[in-house]
Amino acid sequence: MKKTNNTNTIKNLFPYLILILVIFVILNVLNMGRTITKEITTGELMTEIANKNVTEIAITPSAEESIYYVEGKLSSYNENEKFKAKVVDAELNSIVKYAEANNLKVYETNADPGKVSWVYIIINILPLVILVGATYFIFVKMANTNKGSMDFGKSRAKLSENGGKVRFSDVAGLKEEKEEVAELIDFLKSPKKFQKLGARIPKGVLLVGPPGTGKTLLAKAVAGEANVPFYFISGSDFVELFVGVGASRVRDMFKEAKRNAPCLIFIDEIDAVGRQRGSGIGGGHDEREQTLNQLLTEMDGFGANEGIIIIAATNRPDVLDPALLRPGRFDRQVTVSLPDTEEREAILKVHAKDKILASDVDLKSISRRTSGFSGADLENLLNEAALLAVRKNQENITIKDIDEATDRVLMGPAKVSRKVSDEIKWLTAVHESGHAVIGLKLKDAMEVQKITIIPRGMAGGYTAYTPKEDNITRYTRREMIAMITSTLAGRASEELFLDDITTGASDDFKRATELARSMVTEYGMSDLGPMRYESSNENVFLGRDYNKTKNYSDQVALEIDQASRKIINECYENAKKILKENKKLVMQLANTLIERETITKEEIDQVVKHGKLIDKNEEEKEEEQEEK
């Protein structure tokens, strides 16, 4: 401990030692540039003139009457040395004549030596002024630095006095989620109504859900509706390199919140500071654990924080510490899930308010085709469509712009500049047509919305599907089998209708294998029975990874592989069977793709019905003939 104190003392004294060294150097420089004057008598001056040692002479009158100063240099002097002799008027004439007789030039000046010249001020006084100013600046800078270090443990939470401008009307969808948090607003507005019946309002509400689903927006709306002070901070703002800083910021944040109670505190990405203790490297001295301990104490410790409600958001609830989730801290968890069809339509309407849409844009149809999109994805979709319309100098946003924006969001921009040979185009068209035919002919498969052979990202083409029902959280065994079958149909189509197979199905194999293995190890959809062998959400902590063990024997591992392979093989054979029966449709779709490169659901339906794309007039005539 003593060694550490000595080291800190040396570090504190180091700036002062540097300052002393700088002053010493400056003084030496000033002394080097100063002129050294040597006093001599009139006799010595005459002798030096006679010996021709004097190189120059200057005569200056003094303030005293009949007194002069004779200055000059001797040949033995250095650059900064000179002599000076005080003579009277009677001696001056003889000195001048004697100097002229020895061919020495005499300079006369009328300057008054009693006055201080500007040169003297610049050379002698200005460096001292600069030195004093620099010293003052250094000390002021150090004082400001120390003042900032005193604020290092202060809270970084930002305060919004009236809760902000966001209201529930600005949050589309999330009907049940709004009802869950509406009680917080009622409590903040009229707490006596709850206290009368002895009800305790939740101290904390944890918003859980995938990224982009509107967790932060919902918290802002709660603050806006309640019209109370609203503190917002990110979990990472608590974590610092120095131990104890995060805990200090937590204490200061709650101290400020008590002054403005009733109020809301919103902690975004709380998993940055609320991860489970003892699950990684580092013990109780770890900065993150110190911060979490302080947060737990402030939320439900010996002290009472009346009128302070905490809202936190995370998309990783599985990594949070159990003590943080118990009643009395985060009493309530609100799951903010991905929006369904109706909610997506409402979200699109909110984000379409300030955009000029063409008459052919149907937001309800777009909401059906964007299954799995979050609120942030939908906002980005309309923004990308608007950017495309501006790029084309259009007056409004058309459905083609939205379709292109959807592809850009999912797969990236189209590689229109990439040159693709006719052979590769045909291979891609046959591959994608195989996917589409399974989606059209297999009962439990998802609906085909679009087929394209335009390269995007790493894909040479793709087939877009949407679920027949907007149920994105639960699938039946038949639906999962249909997914695997449609995923493998691209390779099956290549094998049946081409002379060779390609590497384009590698990503298909990856997805099909993951689905098949999940059916066996997670969902109990195989001959191995209803048992869970693996989990898709494995813990990511380093300490847990070291202790990870298999929950099954090598024999069971072999059976898992065999069951997964059985599912894959059955789906692949079924895909080949369906494609053989619908070879004509595969070729019709492939030829249409070669012609158009991209075909939509309406055009796919035309090819299925008529074998080719036809005009609306022709389609109406055919319908009339069928009716007759």
mmCIF file of all heavy atoms in Angstrom, residues 177-207:
data_model
loop_
_atom_site.group_PDB
_atom_site.id
_atom_site.type_symbol
_atom_site.label_atom_id
_atom_site.label_comp_id
_atom_site.label_asym_id
_atom_site.label_seq_id
_atom_site.Cartn_x
_atom_site.Cartn_y
_atom_site.Cartn_z
ATOM 1 N N GLU A 177 -50.084 -4.318 -24.829
ATOM 2 C CA GLU A 177 -48.921 -3.738 -24.147
ATOM 3 C C GLU A 177 -49.260 -2.372 -23.556
ATOM 4 O O GLU A 177 -48.823 -2.034 -22.442
ATOM 5 C CB GLU A 177 -47.737 -3.621 -25.107
ATOM 6 C CG GLU A 177 -47.125 -4.946 -25.526
ATOM 7 C CD GLU A 177 -47.896 -5.621 -26.653
ATOM 8 O OE1 GLU A 177 -48.966 -5.097 -27.028
ATOM 9 O OE2 GLU A 177 -47.442 -6.670 -27.147
ATOM 10 N N LYS A 178 -50.050 -1.585 -24.270
ATOM 11 C CA LYS A 178 -50.467 -0.278 -23.753
ATOM 12 C C LYS A 178 -51.325 -0.429 -22.504
ATOM 13 O O LYS A 178 -51.197 0.340 -21.549
ATOM 14 C CB LYS A 178 -51.249 0.487 -24.830
ATOM 15 C CG LYS A 178 -50.415 0.950 -26.016
ATOM 16 C CD LYS A 178 -51.307 1.632 -27.029
ATOM 17 C CE LYS A 178 -50.541 2.009 -28.287
ATOM 18 N NZ LYS A 178 -51.419 2.615 -29.318
ATOM 19 N N GLU A 179 -52.196 -1.442 -22.518
ATOM 20 C CA GLU A 179 -53.047 -1.670 -21.347
ATOM 21 C C GLU A 179 -52.217 -2.045 -20.127
ATOM 22 O O GLU A 179 -52.544 -1.669 -18.998
ATOM 23 C CB GLU A 179 -54.064 -2.767 -21.650
ATOM 24 C CG GLU A 179 -55.109 -2.376 -22.696
ATOM 25 C CD GLU A 179 -56.039 -3.525 -23.046
ATOM 26 O OE1 GLU A 179 -55.796 -4.649 -22.537
ATOM 27 O OE2 GLU A 179 -56.988 -3.314 -23.819
ATOM 28 N N GLU A 180 -51.123 -2.794 -20.344
ATOM 29 C CA GLU A 180 -50.277 -3.217 -19.235
ATOM 30 C C GLU A 180 -49.601 -2.033 -18.551
ATOM 31 O O GLU A 180 -49.418 -2.024 -17.330
ATOM 32 C CB GLU A 180 -49.226 -4.213 -19.721
ATOM 33 C CG GLU A 180 -49.762 -5.604 -20.024
ATOM 34 C CD GLU A 180 -50.182 -6.331 -18.766
ATOM 35 O OE1 GLU A 180 -49.490 -6.217 -17.743
ATOM 36 O OE2 GLU A 180 -51.233 -6.992 -18.795
ATOM 37 N N VAL A 181 -49.193 -1.056 -19.343
ATOM 38 C CA VAL A 181 -48.460 0.093 -18.775
ATOM 39 C C VAL A 181 -49.380 1.267 -18.461
ATOM 40 O O VAL A 181 -48.933 2.261 -17.887
ATOM 41 C CB VAL A 181 -47.341 0.551 -19.732
ATOM 42 C CG1 VAL A 181 -46.313 -0.546 -19.915
ATOM 43 C CG2 VAL A 181 -47.907 0.978 -21.085
ATOM 44 N N ALA A 182 -50.668 1.162 -18.825
ATOM 45 C CA ALA A 182 -51.597 2.267 -18.545
ATOM 46 C C ALA A 182 -51.764 2.489 -17.053
ATOM 47 O O ALA A 182 -52.011 3.619 -16.603
ATOM 48 C CB ALA A 182 -52.946 1.996 -19.214
ATOM 49 N N GLU A 183 -51.632 1.418 -16.249
ATOM 50 C CA GLU A 183 -51.746 1.562 -14.797
ATOM 51 C C GLU A 183 -50.676 2.483 -14.241
ATOM 52 O O GLU A 183 -50.916 3.189 -13.254
ATOM 53 C CB GLU A 183 -51.641 0.189 -14.131
ATOM 54 C CG GLU A 183 -52.853 -0.701 -14.361
ATOM 55 C CD GLU A 183 -52.702 -2.044 -13.703
ATOM 56 O OE1 GLU A 183 -51.598 -2.327 -13.191
ATOM 57 O OE2 GLU A 183 -53.667 -2.808 -13.709
ATOM 58 N N LEU A 184 -49.507 2.460 -14.842
ATOM 59 C CA LEU A 184 -48.433 3.348 -14.374
ATOM 60 C C LEU A 184 -48.847 4.803 -14.523
ATOM 61 O O LEU A 184 -48.572 5.642 -13.652
ATOM 62 C CB LEU A 184 -47.147 3.081 -15.159
ATOM 63 C CG LEU A 184 -46.626 1.640 -15.170
ATOM 64 C CD1 LEU A 184 -45.358 1.547 -16.003
ATOM 65 C CD2 LEU A 184 -46.371 1.156 -13.761
ATOM 66 N N ILE A 185 -49.506 5.115 -15.626
ATOM 67 C CA ILE A 185 -49.937 6.489 -15.877
ATOM 68 C C ILE A 185 -50.986 6.907 -14.860
ATOM 69 O O ILE A 185 -50.931 8.011 -14.294
ATOM 70 C CB ILE A 185 -50.482 6.618 -17.314
ATOM 71 C CG1 ILE A 185 -49.388 6.222 -18.317
ATOM 72 C CG2 ILE A 185 -50.975 8.030 -17.595
ATOM 73 C CD1 ILE A 185 -49.883 6.099 -19.740
ATOM 74 N N ASP A 186 -51.954 6.016 -14.591
ATOM 75 C CA ASP A 186 -52.993 6.323 -13.602
ATOM 76 C C ASP A 186 -52.394 6.551 -12.226
ATOM 77 O O ASP A 186 -52.814 7.448 -11.484
ATOM 78 C CB ASP A 186 -54.006 5.179 -13.536
ATOM 79 C CG ASP A 186 -54.833 5.074 -14.808
ATOM 80 O OD1 ASP A 186 -54.894 6.081 -15.545
ATOM 81 O OD2 ASP A 186 -55.392 3.992 -15.072
ATOM 82 N N PHE A 187 -51.394 5.736 -11.872
ATOM 83 C CA PHE A 187 -50.773 5.875 -10.551
ATOM 84 C C PHE A 187 -50.040 7.207 -10.438
ATOM 85 O O PHE A 187 -50.123 7.882 -9.407
ATOM 86 C CB PHE A 187 -49.810 4.716 -10.298
ATOM 87 C CG PHE A 187 -49.004 4.875 -9.036
ATOM 88 C CD1 PHE A 187 -49.573 4.596 -7.800
ATOM 89 C CD2 PHE A 187 -47.688 5.309 -9.087
ATOM 90 C CE1 PHE A 187 -48.837 4.755 -6.641
ATOM 91 C CE2 PHE A 187 -46.954 5.468 -7.935
ATOM 92 C CZ PHE A 187 -47.528 5.193 -6.695
ATOM 93 N N LEU A 188 -49.303 7.584 -11.479
ATOM 94 C CA LEU A 188 -48.558 8.839 -11.436
ATOM 95 C C LEU A 188 -49.482 10.051 -11.398
ATOM 96 O O LEU A 188 -49.143 11.082 -10.822
ATOM 97 C CB LEU A 188 -47.625 8.919 -12.651
ATOM 98 C CG LEU A 188 -46.466 7.914 -12.653
ATOM 99 C CD1 LEU A 188 -45.766 7.908 -13.994
ATOM 100 C CD2 LEU A 188 -45.479 8.228 -11.539
ATOM 101 N N LYS A 189 -50.672 9.911 -11.998
ATOM 102 C CA LYS A 189 -51.616 11.033 -12.007
ATOM 103 C C LYS A 189 -52.434 11.091 -10.716
ATOM 104 O O LYS A 189 -52.679 12.165 -10.185
ATOM 105 C CB LYS A 189 -52.547 10.907 -13.213
ATOM 106 C CG LYS A 189 -51.871 11.211 -14.539
ATOM 107 C CD LYS A 189 -52.876 11.136 -15.687
ATOM 108 C CE LYS A 189 -52.227 11.540 -17.005
ATOM 109 N NZ LYS A 189 -53.185 11.483 -18.136
ATOM 110 N N SER A 190 -52.860 9.934 -10.221
ATOM 111 C CA SER A 190 -53.692 9.912 -9.004
ATOM 112 C C SER A 190 -53.295 8.731 -8.130
ATOM 113 O O SER A 190 -53.943 7.673 -8.150
ATOM 114 C CB SER A 190 -55.173 9.828 -9.368
ATOM 115 O OG SER A 190 -55.408 8.717 -10.220
ATOM 116 N N PRO A 191 -52.199 8.842 -7.377
ATOM 117 C CA PRO A 191 -51.721 7.718 -6.554
ATOM 118 C C PRO A 191 -52.652 7.367 -5.399
ATOM 119 O O PRO A 191 -52.667 6.231 -4.931
ATOM 120 C CB PRO A 191 -50.367 8.224 -6.034
ATOM 121 C CG PRO A 191 -50.454 9.708 -6.121
ATOM 122 C CD PRO A 191 -51.317 10.007 -7.300
ATOM 123 N N LYS A 192 -53.462 8.326 -4.938
ATOM 124 C CA LYS A 192 -54.338 8.055 -3.798
ATOM 125 C C LYS A 192 -55.372 6.989 -4.123
ATOM 126 O O LYS A 192 -55.808 6.253 -3.246
ATOM 127 C CB LYS A 192 -55.027 9.343 -3.360
ATOM 128 C CG LYS A 192 -54.066 10.367 -2.762
ATOM 129 C CD LYS A 192 -54.808 11.596 -2.293
ATOM 130 C CE LYS A 192 -53.847 12.608 -1.677
ATOM 131 N NZ LYS A 192 -54.561 13.835 -1.226
ATOM 132 N N LYS A 193 -55.793 6.881 -5.382
ATOM 133 C CA LYS A 193 -56.776 5.886 -5.775
ATOM 134 C C LYS A 193 -56.250 4.474 -5.530
ATOM 135 O O LYS A 193 -57.000 3.570 -5.133
ATOM 136 C CB LYS A 193 -57.127 6.082 -7.255
ATOM 137 C CG LYS A 193 -58.169 5.109 -7.772
ATOM 138 C CD LYS A 193 -58.594 5.474 -9.190
ATOM 139 C CE LYS A 193 -57.467 5.279 -10.180
ATOM 140 N NZ LYS A 193 -57.915 5.502 -11.577
ATOM 141 N N PHE A 194 -54.960 4.271 -5.729
ATOM 142 C CA PHE A 194 -54.357 2.956 -5.505
ATOM 143 C C PHE A 194 -54.073 2.742 -4.019
ATOM 144 O O PHE A 194 -54.262 1.644 -3.485
ATOM 145 C CB PHE A 194 -53.062 2.821 -6.304
ATOM 146 C CG PHE A 194 -53.278 2.778 -7.788
ATOM 147 C CD1 PHE A 194 -53.420 3.945 -8.532
ATOM 148 C CD2 PHE A 194 -53.361 1.572 -8.463
ATOM 149 C CE1 PHE A 194 -53.617 3.909 -9.895
ATOM 150 C CE2 PHE A 194 -53.556 1.520 -9.823
ATOM 151 C CZ PHE A 194 -53.694 2.693 -10.541
ATOM 152 N N GLN A 195 -53.611 3.802 -3.351
ATOM 153 C CA GLN A 195 -53.256 3.679 -1.940
ATOM 154 C C GLN A 195 -54.484 3.440 -1.071
ATOM 155 O O GLN A 195 -54.393 2.825 -0.002
ATOM 156 C CB GLN A 195 -52.531 4.951 -1.493
ATOM 157 C CG GLN A 195 -51.191 5.145 -2.184
ATOM 158 C CD GLN A 195 -50.593 6.513 -1.916
ATOM 159 O OE1 GLN A 195 -51.219 7.361 -1.275
ATOM 160 N NE2 GLN A 195 -49.375 6.732 -2.428
ATOM 161 N N LYS A 196 -55.638 3.885 -1.516
ATOM 162 C CA LYS A 196 -56.872 3.726 -0.760
ATOM 163 C C LYS A 196 -57.213 2.257 -0.558
ATOM 164 O O LYS A 196 -57.695 1.846 0.506
ATOM 165 C CB LYS A 196 -58.003 4.450 -1.488
ATOM 166 C CG LYS A 196 -59.326 4.408 -0.760
ATOM 167 C CD LYS A 196 -60.391 5.173 -1.540
ATOM 168 C CE LYS A 196 -61.735 5.119 -0.817
ATOM 169 N NZ LYS A 196 -62.782 5.845 -1.589
ATOM 170 N N LEU A 197 -56.982 1.442 -1.572
ATOM 171 C CA LEU A 197 -57.274 0.008 -1.500
ATOM 172 C C LEU A 197 -56.051 -0.816 -1.125
ATOM 173 O O LEU A 197 -56.081 -2.049 -1.159
ATOM 174 C CB LEU A 197 -57.818 -0.481 -2.848
ATOM 175 C CG LEU A 197 -59.162 0.121 -3.279
ATOM 176 C CD1 LEU A 197 -59.550 -0.397 -4.658
ATOM 177 C CD2 LEU A 197 -60.247 -0.192 -2.261
ATOM 178 N N GLY A 198 -54.961 -0.145 -0.783
ATOM 179 C CA GLY A 198 -53.753 -0.854 -0.373
ATOM 180 C C GLY A 198 -52.994 -1.486 -1.510
ATOM 181 O O GLY A 198 -52.173 -2.389 -1.293
ATOM 182 N N ALA A 199 -53.266 -1.037 -2.729
ATOM 183 C CA ALA A 199 -52.568 -1.605 -3.894
ATOM 184 C C ALA A 199 -51.188 -0.980 -4.032
ATOM 185 O O ALA A 199 -51.002 0.218 -3.769
ATOM 186 C CB ALA A 199 -53.386 -1.364 -5.158
ATOM 187 N N ARG A 200 -50.235 -1.797 -4.399
ATOM 188 C CA ARG A 200 -48.871 -1.306 -4.642
ATOM 189 C C ARG A 200 -48.585 -1.362 -6.129
ATOM 190 O O ARG A 200 -48.652 -2.423 -6.748
ATOM 191 C CB ARG A 200 -47.852 -2.161 -3.883
ATOM 192 C CG ARG A 200 -46.402 -1.712 -4.090
ATOM 193 C CD ARG A 200 -45.427 -2.630 -3.368
ATOM 194 N NE ARG A 200 -45.480 -3.989 -3.878
ATOM 195 C CZ ARG A 200 -44.853 -4.396 -4.997
ATOM 196 N NH1 ARG A 200 -44.140 -3.540 -5.715
ATOM 197 N NH2 ARG A 200 -44.940 -5.648 -5.376
ATOM 198 N N ILE A 201 -48.282 -0.232 -6.685
ATOM 199 C CA ILE A 201 -47.994 -0.171 -8.118
ATOM 200 C C ILE A 201 -46.647 -0.835 -8.374
ATOM 201 O O ILE A 201 -45.746 -0.782 -7.509
ATOM 202 C CB ILE A 201 -47.983 1.292 -8.627
ATOM 203 C CG1 ILE A 201 -48.195 1.350 -10.143
ATOM 204 C CG2 ILE A 201 -46.688 1.977 -8.253
ATOM 205 C CD1 ILE A 201 -49.577 0.947 -10.583
ATOM 206 N N PRO A 202 -46.449 -1.497 -9.487
ATOM 207 C CA PRO A 202 -45.138 -2.107 -9.781
ATOM 208 C C PRO A 202 -44.013 -1.084 -9.733
ATOM 209 O O PRO A 202 -44.129 0.018 -10.284
ATOM 210 C CB PRO A 202 -45.324 -2.658 -11.201
ATOM 211 C CG PRO A 202 -46.787 -2.880 -11.335
ATOM 212 C CD PRO A 202 -47.441 -1.810 -10.522
ATOM 213 N N LYS A 203 -42.941 -1.436 -9.052
ATOM 214 C CA LYS A 203 -41.784 -0.545 -8.990
ATOM 215 C C LYS A 203 -41.013 -0.516 -10.300
ATOM 216 O O LYS A 203 -40.349 0.469 -10.606
ATOM 217 C CB LYS A 203 -40.853 -0.973 -7.856
ATOM 218 C CG LYS A 203 -41.440 -0.776 -6.470
ATOM 219 C CD LYS A 203 -40.406 -1.121 -5.408
ATOM 220 C CE LYS A 203 -40.978 -0.882 -4.016
ATOM 221 N NZ LYS A 203 -39.983 -1.198 -2.961
ATOM 222 N N GLY A 204 -41.091 -1.612 -11.015
ATOM 223 C CA GLY A 204 -40.362 -1.677 -12.270
ATOM 224 C C GLY A 204 -41.113 -2.490 -13.297
ATOM 225 O O GLY A 204 -41.766 -3.482 -12.972
ATOM 226 N N VAL A 205 -41.031 -2.065 -14.554
ATOM 227 C CA VAL A 205 -41.644 -2.781 -15.668
ATOM 228 C C VAL A 205 -40.550 -3.062 -16.690
ATOM 229 O O VAL A 205 -39.848 -2.144 -17.124
ATOM 230 C CB VAL A 205 -42.780 -1.961 -16.312
ATOM 231 C CG1 VAL A 205 -43.324 -2.687 -17.530
ATOM 232 C CG2 VAL A 205 -43.893 -1.714 -15.311
ATOM 233 N N LEU A 206 -40.391 -4.326 -17.040
ATOM 234 C CA LEU A 206 -39.366 -4.732 -17.998
ATOM 235 C C LEU A 206 -40.023 -5.003 -19.346
ATOM 236 O O LEU A 206 -40.893 -5.870 -19.465
ATOM 237 C CB LEU A 206 -38.644 -5.985 -17.501
ATOM 238 C CG LEU A 206 -37.485 -6.491 -18.360
ATOM 239 C CD1 LEU A 206 -36.356 -5.472 -18.387
ATOM 240 C CD2 LEU A 206 -36.977 -7.834 -17.845
ATOM 241 N N LEU A 207 -39.611 -4.249 -20.348
ATOM 242 C CA LEU A 207 -40.117 -4.439 -21.710
ATOM 243 C C LEU A 207 -39.180 -5.381 -22.443
ATOM 244 O O LEU A 207 -37.986 -5.100 -22.584
ATOM 245 C CB LEU A 207 -40.204 -3.093 -22.434
ATOM 246 C CG LEU A 207 -41.052 -2.014 -21.758
ATOM 247 C CD1 LEU A 207 -41.023 -0.723 -22.573
ATOM 248 C CD2 LEU A 207 -42.481 -2.490 -21.571
#
